[in-house]
Amino acid sequence: MKRKLLSVLLSTVMLGTMMCSTAFAAENTEAAAQTESAGDGLEDVSEPVTLSLMVTTRPSTDAKDFYLDILPELVHEKFPNITIEVEQLPTDQYKQTVRLKFASGEGPDLFTWWAQKQAEDLVTADYVRDLSGFEKLDKFTPSITETYSFDGKTYGLPLGTSFLTTWYNKDMFKEVGYDSYPTNWDEFIDICAKLKDAGYTPITCGDNSSFVIQFAMYQIGASVIYGENFDFDEQLYTGETKFTDDCWVDTVSKLQYLYDNGYVVEDSLGLSQDQSRQLFVDGEAAMIFDGSFGYAALMNEGAADFERGMFCVPSNGEGEEFVYNWTPANALFTSNTSDELHQQACDLVMKYWFDETSPLFSEWVANTTDIICYDGVSDPRDMINEYLERYSDYKNIYNLNNAWPEGVSDEMCSIFQEVITGDSIAEDVCQAMQDKFEELS
């Protein structure tokens, strides 16, 4: 089963990534210089066409954004008849909007989406094109490509991998007696308590953006659930396991404990993801649950100057198995409902984008927030590589909602918001997840 093998497969990807030269950007520039015209042989479409592209909201920076600015500009420069119009939405609105557009016959020509169960309904509804014949498909790491495959056909071009993690202020940790990251739950709670006693806010969370609740929940669940039973998700579909099992109640209870004991910033439900990130960058909180995808935003200069680090929440007890999160990030999908001209234009965009000698490819490599899984490309960020190398001997698990029907994670986040207000408890979250899972399955 793909889900069962993902930990081993991703470990293979990581080792390949570590072995690649970190000088890729320079090599790619040289290769591009040796090519008079990248993408030779690609002819423009016969008449003007406007492609719609949908992506989730990107981190805010002063620089040009790859999807909003660079991609449309470079594509139009190469193919004057192709114009790309980009729509971006926050993650908690994005999935519903894309599905509604397809249901109304107005699905985007190009869009980014997630792996495994998250994509299955779009494939089943015949909304997305089979990309198995794409000429550059073998350039992507096969184990990652497989997570966008159904019944032997591949529907997405992998844009990379990512991991959920906890960013922390190393200077604050040292002030309360910790020179390193915690390795078990008791150490993590001890750090939270000491930070609070010292007058610091241990953790900031932007829970008004409900999807961020997943960032902590899945880190905690990694060890609690899969340290004991790595086949838990497969067994959900046979009825051998349920979201109401002790491991899930323990997972939600651990996260609830952080709120109940004042380790999370006050009024987290009034903070957005961006506001919460700014609190961390400004040195007003010691930790934030986020991911490798938050690298650019969380490495920004703020009101305070401090050294940053990352660790996965160790929800395991001392001596118990530790599991961390590492997952396919998202992929590029194309509509199966677009007319022939739009599909021809999409093909040209994809061929140009993933041509190693094209300026568009170079810009993608330079601007992506994901850990690219394409032959010859390595990640230049030392913190990312150090993190993956540190945990390379441990099991890893995808973002947990990759294994669930769409809607279960939304239910989890919604009911946990009620836990934060004191109107629900951990068992309510788990029962709501199980009810939604049974309804959708």
Side-chain angles (χ1 to χ4, degrees), residues 131-146 154 156-158 354 356 373-376:
L131 299 179
S132 302
F134 181 63
E135 61 188 42
K136 295 283 187 177
L137 190 63
D138 62 352
K139 290 284 189 176
F140 299 93
T141 304
S143 59
I144 305 302
T145 304
E146 186 182 352
T154 300
L157 303 180
F354 299 109
E356 301 95 315
C373 51
Y374 191 98
D375 281 357

Side-chain angles (χ1 to χ4, degrees), residues 215-231:
F215 300 166
M217 193 77 77
Y218 299 165
Q219 287 184 68
I220 294 172
S223 294
V224 173
I225 299 165
Y226 304 93
E228 291 291 330
N229 181 9
F230 209 76
D231 296 328

Side-chain angles (χ1 to χ4, degrees), residues 67-143:
Y67 291 101
L68 298 179
D69 306 305
I70 298 171
L71 174 63
E73 290 174 7
L74 292 182
V75 167
H76 191 64
E77 180 181 301
K78 176 66 178 175
F79 308 109
N81 277 341
I82 300 178
T83 299
I84 297 181
E85 291 185 350
V86 185
E87 180 180 0
Q88 64 169 353
L89 291 169
T91 303
D92 51 0
Q93 300 174 27
Y94 182 79
K95 293 180 178 180
Q96 180 181 14
T97 302
V98 170
R99 287 188 167 93
L100 286 173
K101 282 181 177 289
F102 273 117
S104 65
E106 299 178 352
D109 297 301
L110 298 159
F111 65 103
T112 58
W113 203 256
W114 294 268
Q116 298 174 295
K117 283 291 181 180
Q118 300 291 297
E120 189 172 40
D121 62 327
L122 297 179
V123 172
T124 301
D126 201 30
Y127 289 149
V128 292
R129 291 173 61 195
D130 175 10
L131 299 179
S132 302
F134 181 63
E135 61 188 42
K136 295 283 187 177
L137 190 63
D138 62 352
K139 290 284 189 176
F140 299 93
T141 304
S143 59

Side-chain angles (χ1 to χ4, degrees), residues 15 31 47 53 57 98 117 124 152 159 179 186 255 262 265 282 287 315 374 406 410 437 439:
L15 291 174
E47 59 186 275
L53 167 66
T57 303
V98 170
K117 283 291 181 180
T124 301
L159 296 176
D179 291 328
D186 288 342
L255 183 54
V265 64
D282 287 339
M287 291 178 277
S315 56
Y374 191 98
E406 182 62 34
D410 293 337
F437 176 79
E439 171 194 335

Side-chain angles (χ1 to χ4, degrees), residues 3 20 25 37 60 66 71 103 138 150 154 188 215 220 254 261 267 273 275 283-284 298 314 319 329 372 377 394 397:
R3 292 192 298 275
C20 290
S37 177
S60 300
F66 176 75
L71 174 63
D138 62 352
F150 300 87
T154 300
F188 178 64
F215 300 166
I220 294 172
K254 277 180 159 61
N261 285 273
D267 192 28
Q273 181 186 35
Q275 290 171 322
E284 296 186 28
L298 294 170
I372 292 180
V377 181
Y394 297 94
I397 191 71

Side-chain angles (χ1 to χ4, degrees), residues 271-310:
L271 294 175
S272 68
Q273 181 186 35
D274 287 342
Q275 290 171 322
S276 180
R277 283 175 167 177
Q278 193 61 48
L279 286 179
F280 175 76
V281 169
D282 287 339
E284 296 186 28
M287 291 178 277
I288 182 171
F289 302 125
D290 211 285
S292 55
F293 43 79
Y295 193 95
L298 294 170
M299 289 297 287
N300 278 337
E301 292 184 7
D305 183 22
F306 60 92
E307 186 178 2
R308 294 153 173 80
M310 296 184 292

Side-chain angles (χ1 to χ4, degrees), residues 165-168 172-173 185 188-189 191-193 195-196 200-207 216 219-220 254-255 257-259 261-268 271 276 279-280 284-290 311 313:
T165 189
T166 302
W167 289 74
Y168 73 105
M172 285 187 184
F173 270 45
W185 182 251
F188 178 64
I189 295 302
I191 290 174
C192 289
L195 287 165
K196 182 183 177 183
Y200 295 122
T201 297
I203 304 165
T204 179
C205 295
D207 294 324
Q219 287 184 68
I220 294 172
K254 277 180 159 61
L255 183 54
Y257 182 87
L258 302 179
Y259 289 83
N261 285 273
Y263 297 147
V264 177
V265 64
E266 291 185 13
D267 192 28
S268 67
L271 294 175
S276 180
L279 286 179
F280 175 76
E284 296 186 28
M287 291 178 277
I288 182 171
F289 302 125
D290 211 285
F311 65 87
V313 175

